[in-house]
């Protein structure tokens, strides 16, 4: 049975047109767009491919059910579609030429750009926390310009139809962060309308001091949210704070591996990958193979994630 591919999350840009109150994608300095040139990104991707496909790393990963000969580069932000579509396409094609599978996570505020990217991607993840406009505005999931424009359910539904038309093989994933503003919401209508291949549900993470305490929730209401949506259990993967910490491979816009430093503390960052190489930089931040593998229990037991059926 296929093993779980390794996933590397490249936060290519810090800028975002939304202001979500629980957002952890901030690295201290006011970064303006991408921090690396196209040539630097290509060199970094080559370094990543060389190290994570090395015999030494592959043997270690395989013991935990991870196949690092298959690497998915997940392009994240900020909001990655703030970058010109032509440039994003070039980076996607660079990654694919090196053997990476490629996905993107977006707030879908620029739907035409996602439609243009869809034929070249394995997966598109869309961040959706609520179908109530007022709730989205309280969370900050609204455009900072244009009188707080939010993505409506009708707009999202139309977009997903277009994405599947452009690439019938594409996987669509919804990401939902559960916080104090949306913890009581019922999202059955959303899931039945969109029919995602996967629905990832996170508990708002107290990653850094800038995240306000009033947005956070305890374990009990988070579990209530999951119980309310148990109908969709076959496509749900949920993560509480402990499960998220040290279980992701993340790279910031400057080309450094980073991890959450712990509750209320800022990030631990490596040296730049371009300066010391992927192997040395990766060794400078904590990462748990066990936690990574635990996020994909179906794959660990030999069932491919792609076999999960969409709800009717």
């Amino acid at each position: 049975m296929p093993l779980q591919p390794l996933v590397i999350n490249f936060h290519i840009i810090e800028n975002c047109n939304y202001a979500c109150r629980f957002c952890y994608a901030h690295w201290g300095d006011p970064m303006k767009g991408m921090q690396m040139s196209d040539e630097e990104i290509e060199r970094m991707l080559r370094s990543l491919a060389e190290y994570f496909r090395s015999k030494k790393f592959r043997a270690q990963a395989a013991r935990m059910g991870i196949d690092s000969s298959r690497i998915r580069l997940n392009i994240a932000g900020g909001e990655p579609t703030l970058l010109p579509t032509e440039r994003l396409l070039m980076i996607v094609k660079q990654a694919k030429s090196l053997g990476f599978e490629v996905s993107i996570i977006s707030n879908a505020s620029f739907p035409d750009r996602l439609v243009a990217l869809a034929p070249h991607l394995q997966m598109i993840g869309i961040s959706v926390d609520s179908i109530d406009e007022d709730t989205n505005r309280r969370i900050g999931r609204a455009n900072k310009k244009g009188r707080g424009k939010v993505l409506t359910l009708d707009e999202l539904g139309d977009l997903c139809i277009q994405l599947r038309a452009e690439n019938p093989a594409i996987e669509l994933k919804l990401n939902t962060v559960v916080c104090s503003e949306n913890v009581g919401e019922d999202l059955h209508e959303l899931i039945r309308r969109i029919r995602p291949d996967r629905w990832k549900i996170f508990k708002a993470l107290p990653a850094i001091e800038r995240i306000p305490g009033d947005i956070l929730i305890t374990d009990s209401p988070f579990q209530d949210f999951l119980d309310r949506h148990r109908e969709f259990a076959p496509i749900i993967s949920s993560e509480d704070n402990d499960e998220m910490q040290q279980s992701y491979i993340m790279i910031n816009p400057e080309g450094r591996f980073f991890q959450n430093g712990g509750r209320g503390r800022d990030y631990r960052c490596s040296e730049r990958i371009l300066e010391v190489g992927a192997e040395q930089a990766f060794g400078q931040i904590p990462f748990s193979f066990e936690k990574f593998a635990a996020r994909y229990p179906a794959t660990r037991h030999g069932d491919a994630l792609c076999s999960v059926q969409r709800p009717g």
Side-chain angles (χ1 to χ4, degrees):
M1 292 292 182
L3 302 179
Q4 165 62 28
L6 192 73
V7 181
I8 301 173
N9 297 277
F10 179 23
H11 293 260
I12 199 167
I13 185 174
E14 184 175 20
N15 292 6
C16 188
N17 56 329
Y18 285 8
C20 300
R21 295 168 62 201
F22 46 64
C23 181
Y24 66 84
H26 301 281
W27 291 275
D29 296 327
M31 297 180 178
K32 299 298 181 183
M34 193 184 305
Q35 295 298 295
M36 290 185 284
S37 68
D38 299 337
E39 184 269 339
E40 287 177 320
I41 288 176
E42 184 174 16
R43 284 199 292 122
M44 183 188 75
L45 292 177
R46 289 186 183 278
S47 181
L48 295 172
E50 179 181 351
Y51 170 57
F52 288 116
R53 291 196 183 116
S54 66
K55 184 176 180 180
K56 175 183 176 182
F57 186 89
R58 286 182 64 180
Q60 185 178 10
R63 288 194 291 271
M64 293 304 305
I66 303 166
D67 180 8
S68 67
S69 68
R70 292 179 57 208
I71 303 174
R72 175 159 60 87
L73 183 74
N74 186 45
I75 298 174
E79 175 48 46
T81 61
L82 288 174
L83 294 171
T85 303
E86 296 76 13
R87 194 170 196 190
L88 274 177
L89 274 173
M90 181 184 63
I91 294 166
V92 169
K93 291 176 180 178
Q94 282 179 347
K96 293 180 73 173
S97 73
L98 293 169
F100 290 94
E101 302 168 7
V102 186
S103 59
I104 194 168
I105 180 71
S106 171
N107 60 29
S109 56
F110 298 97
D112 292 347
R113 301 178 190 183
L114 287 180
V115 171
L117 291 166
H120 307 277
L121 299 172
Q122 177 204 345
M123 178 189 292
I124 291 179
I126 301 175
S127 298
V128 182
D129 302 321
S130 174
I131 56 175
D132 181 84
E133 293 190 16
D134 290 336
T135 300
N136 277 318
R137 290 192 180 96
R138 289 196 301 272
I139 289 172
R141 194 167 288 287
N143 205 314
K144 289 183 281 191
K145 298 180 180 179
R147 299 180 179 179
K149 174 72 173 65
V150 301
L151 183 71
T152 68
L153 181 57
D154 285 343
E155 290 169 336
L156 179 59
D158 291 344
L159 170 60
C160 290
I161 290 171
Q162 292 181 69
L163 294 174
R164 288 181 170 125
E166 288 293 323
N167 182 356
I170 200 162
E171 297 176 53
L172 294 183
K173 179 178 72 167
L174 295 184
N175 281 4
T176 298
V177 178
V178 183
C179 66
S180 59
E181 296 290 355
N182 65 347
V183 68
E185 192 160 352
D186 186 326
L187 297 182
H188 280 69
E189 183 181 3
L190 167 70
I191 303 306
R192 289 171 180 157
R193 176 79 172 269
I194 303 306
R195 297 182 299 114
D197 298 277
R198 292 176 61 191
W199 185 18
K200 203 165 202 177
I201 303 175
F202 304 89
K203 180 182 172 187
L205 178 66
I208 50 178
E209 293 177 355
R210 289 185 292 274
I211 295 180
D214 65 349
I215 202 77
L216 303 177
I217 58 172
T218 59
D219 291 341
S220 179
F222 181 63
Q223 186 59 52
D224 289 344
F225 184 94
L226 296 176
D227 292 343
R228 190 179 313 126
H229 299 95
R230 67 170 65 91
E231 172 185 343
F232 307 111
I235 64 165
I236 287 176
S237 59
S238 64
E239 297 177 18
D240 64 21
N241 296 165
D242 180 68
E243 290 166 331
M244 292 193 310
Q245 292 180 11
Q246 301 182 17
S247 68
Y248 283 79
I249 298 176
M250 300 181 290
I251 299 173
N252 73 12
E254 202 176 19
R256 303 174 187 269
F257 290 111
F258 75 97
Q259 288 286 4
N260 175 25
R263 186 178 183 91
R265 289 182 288 176
D266 224 322
Y267 303 114
R268 295 180 59 177
C269 294
S270 73
E271 296 177 78
R272 292 190 74 207
I273 296 167
L274 289 178
E275 294 173 359
V276 300
E279 180 174 7
Q280 183 172 331
F282 188 64
Q284 294 172 353
I285 56 101
F287 175 73
S288 169
F289 283 95
E290 292 80 4
K291 284 189 174 184
F292 177 93
R295 289 177 23 228
Y296 301 93
T299 303
R300 289 179 66 192
H301 293 355
D303 298 322
L305 284 171
C306 61
S307 68
V308 171
Q309 299 297 309
R310 297 175 188 163

